[in-house]
Amino acid sequence: MSSSTGLTPGHIRALPATSGSQPASQARSTIMSHIAILGLGAMGRRMAANLLKAGHQVTVWNRTARAAEPLLALGATQAATPREAAAGVDFVLAMVRDDAASAGVWLDPETGAFAGMRPGAIAMDSSTLSVDWIKKLGAEAANRGVTLLETPVSGSLPQADAAQLIFLVGGNADACKQAEAVLLAMGSAVNHTGEIGTGALTKLATNALLGVQVTAIAELIGMLRRNGADAQKIMGIIAGTAVWSPYAQRAIGALLSGEAPVMFPVELVEKDFGYALEAAGSPDAAPTIAAARSVFRRGMDEGLGDANLTSVVALFRK
């Protein structure tokens, strides 16, 4: 993200002007809302914590109830089902693994969140989903009189911790404005991408570009080492050229060492590549994405599914 104060089309200013020593959380959100968070994985629990720190009232649900305990200590309320969590709140936000999990939390006839939402509440799904599914979910929401925004994010655990996520919002522009204060309690920017489905397309394109970079750099490190070159020195030289990216700069240490904390596991990158190929129409329509996906599939076959995405560098050591 640029530090410029200029705004591109569809971009909402992240931090309104403030005076004195007003905390950033207060600057981002002056209207307190009641929000339900569905899914307390690594991202969801950090997002919920930032909403609580910003002063919002938060109800949480997770398939494994004990995951909520740290948030209860911060003032959250726990619900037994997504439907119960959604009852009476202003916003319901899901952050779950995939299309199937999203369908479960929203549409289950007994426990789904749509069944519990009040008129005028806004549903938001920050999961990385397929384009076809989020469009179907949007239609299901409309049939129930519910407004749905897709709100996937760019950023990983450090950005989630620091409330610096970038939201990629598809759906009604007015609803996006209504949700802005809530989203900015968890992030640094809100980008309205267009109608439902465009947020997923933006997120999948972002993750595909990320994964392609990782596979390319991993292959280059392998090529350099097999030829007896000093991979660290040469990659450092490449880093001074125009082809280098900010992400490559952050990831190169992990790619060279083969060690990194788990920020984005191999199995989830592979899942996102699959969704991207579905959106592309076929592997022939996106051969580079298809080739990169095969690297992550191989990584899963070799036991790297739970490891950070940069761990695929190990595939090119031979």
Side-chain angles (χ1 to χ4, degrees), residues 202-225:
T202 307
K203 177 60 185 289
L204 293 173
T206 300
N207 283 6
L209 183 58
L210 173 73
V212 166
Q213 287 183 81
V214 168
T215 58
I217 296 172
E219 291 172 24
L220 292 174
I221 290 171
M223 178 189 75
L224 293 169
R225 287 175 171 164

Side-chain angles (χ1 to χ4, degrees), residues 8-83:
T8 57
H11 187 105
I12 297 173
R13 187 183 303 276
L15 294 175
T18 60
S19 60
S21 58
Q22 185 180 21
S25 60
Q26 293 180 18
R28 290 176 178 149
S29 176
T30 57
I31 300 174
M32 296 301 105
S33 299
H34 188 177
I35 304 150
I37 301 292
L38 311 177
L40 302 177
M43 294 292 285
R45 66 176 176 264
R46 287 168 167 83
M47 294 165 76
N50 281 324
L51 289 170
L52 288 162
K53 292 172 186 176
H56 294 287
Q57 183 180 353
V58 177
T59 298
V60 297
W61 170 86
N62 193 65
R63 186 177 57 181
T64 304
R66 66 177 178 272
E69 291 175 2
L71 295 167
L72 301 183
L74 294 175
T77 301
Q78 187 168 21
T81 65
R83 180 174 184 168

